[in-house]
Amino acid sequence: MSHSSPSDNSPSAHSPSNDGHSGLSRTDRLANLIIAALVIAVAIAAIVATGDFPATSLATDVGPARFPIIYAVALIALCTILIINTLRKPVTEAEPQDTTGGAGRFASRVNVAVGIGLTAVCLIGMTYVGYAAATVVYLSSVMWLMGQRNKLLNPLIAVVVTAVIYITFSTGLQVPLPVGSLFE
Amino acid sequence: MYELDMLLKGFQTLLSQPFALLLSVVGVAVGIVIGALPGLTATMGVAILLPFTFGMDPLSGLLMICGVFFGGIYGGSVTAILLKIPGTPAAAATAMDGFELTKKGQAGIALGTATFSSFLGGTFSVLVLIFLAPVLASFALEFSASESFALAVFGLSIIASIAGKSVIKGLIAGFLGLLIATIGLDPMGGFPRFTGGYTELFSVPFIPVMIGLFAAAEAFKAMEDPAVRNGAAAMLSRIIPPWSTFRRILGTVVRSSGLGTVIGMIPGAGADIAAFVAYNEAKRFSKTPENYGKGELAAVAACESGANGCTGGALLTMLTLGIPGDAVTAVMLGALTLQGLQPGPLLFREHADLVFTLFAGMLVCYVLMLVIGLSSLRVMGRILQMPKSVLTPVILALCIVGTYAINNSMFDIAIMLAAGVVGYFMQKWDFPASPVVLALIMGPMAEANFRRALSLSNGSYDFLYNRPITAILLIIAGFTLLFPLVRGFMRRSKAAKGATRDAALAPNPAGGAE
């Protein structure tokens, strides 16, 4: 009944529901275990960090550490349940509906990684060259990454979009956008 | 009837003030744009336009601000439905089913339903404000710290029902959100918790996290397969829902509007909480709760009527008691004072003409919101016709600038990016993002009010069962939290029994799992 989006090629989309008694693919199983372990590590770190919190001066207050500890303990319990549930489920074979193939999946992962990297670079670049220059380059690069390879149109769209955003926020809404340390 | 006579007189006065009406149009239009932009909330919109009202007469200034308020709450739904970018925190609830409808090619009907529901919810709440203000104002005063804590717990109990495919994963996401919500200054002692020395983390940066989890994560997901165009989603066919559909969701709209109005009256609770609570109640009363989260029109209607129902409720306590129901009305309280008007019971006696003209103006603002909203939807819907290779970078650029605009902080953009990456992986492995956002909204409210209530009751936990509203809300919260777990358990045990029976009947079961 539900239509998955055309780009929905997540491994979990090809495997049965994680809540049912049907099996999990190897990738899903590994992901569940890694995520649960990471969350448990975060929860334990939070509990350890609360050790440095000062005791409350109010006799009627539970103090600043109580709530984070309750949440962290609940997280550890829930992640333990997830680990047990995951280990109890049988492992199924590779996704039969996956038509993209190993190379396609690798390419899409590289795309996402590069996209995230470009966003991080844009963020760093913005502090040096300012919002406008960084955004123009960023927009052109992401368009190129997503398959739009027109050498004239990409920069043109990027400049127009950046100008519209800049005018809306900087002039219309009085939000001072970063100028960049090189131009200050 | 005194109120009706005064309201009609108010309409007459308003018609003789075209400048005030023009400013209402400007206010609503600006509000919709601000609400639609990620990061910019109705509160910011009101704060931005506040200085412009200094030189205006009280009616024109206040109507413009009301227009921004109403338009801002509604505007968040447009980008939430079309692009999964919740323009405002309240629209995070709308995005859950709204974007699913867009993926099914029903963006037009989702936007139309959101517009009508916002109009109905808002109008209902303004009518309540006009006719029931004195009666309901005393109810709002019944809400102290313990009731607010219970309301927050009630809100949090929704996590189980918005968990998506796996309740355990939903609960993990929710508790992770609650743990993140403790980052910042301790609500009682002011001690900085988990801030790592960063002053930027003194308050929970929940808008950057929300933008990252919803919008940036979706944009990163779109990069997986950039060649695919939006296809069916690009079509924005019918906007106004057919009468049969509308009749089906009317009950939900009325119930959610009432809920929104009541929640709006409670100090500290705003449109975001109202939207999530309305969503949950709509699901509870629905005959097809399994459709929620997969693109249910009633869910969009519930969130929008609940969120806009909040507006009249928040104004009610602000105007009658001088207590702002949420952040927007806190700014508006300042606007009223600047205009020389002192909110409180005397306002209705000493400035009755102005107050009822303002009420008439508020109703006009909602009509304007309906007209402007419906007439601009087709233009806004064109966004979907952009190629994915252009739309995705534009979404990311908007995420960056919208996040920066909250505090003019690069740190917030870094948080948004980190949340986007986490959100991408959460989506990939079926960990829902909505419980995290819900926990970030409700968590600080729950903790602060619990500890305040505990101090007020001298360290005794009696307040959990001594106060009727608190006890009722906590009981409903317990039911809401446990019901999906019990239902899931029963469904699984029934399926297991069925499978055992089938296995016993058929010696060679071919076909495998359905």
Side-chain angles (χ1 to χ4, degrees), chain B residues 444-468:
Chain B
M445 182 178 168
E447 185 185 359
N449 284 296
F450 176 84
R451 290 171 65 185
R452 213 167 286 148
L454 196 63
S455 292
L456 288 170
S457 62
N458 288 320
S460 160
Y461 290 92
D462 289 356
F463 68 89
L464 293 173
Y465 50 85
N466 269 356
R467 301 178 68 95

Side-chain angles (χ1 to χ4, degrees), chain B residues 14-28:
Chain B
L14 192 64
L15 285 173
S16 64
Q17 301 207 27
F19 184 64
L21 283 171
L22 180 71
L23 285 175
S24 312
V25 178
V26 173
V28 171

Side-chain angles (χ1 to χ4, degrees), chain A residues 9 12 18 28 61 64 108, chain B residues 169 193 224 228 428-429 451:
Chain A
N9 58 358
S12 49
N18 290 345
D28 277 349
D61 186 24
S108 69
Chain B
K169 287 183 176 180
R193 300 184 294 191
E224 282 182 350
V228 177
K428 212 165 172 58
W429 307 114
R451 290 171 65 185

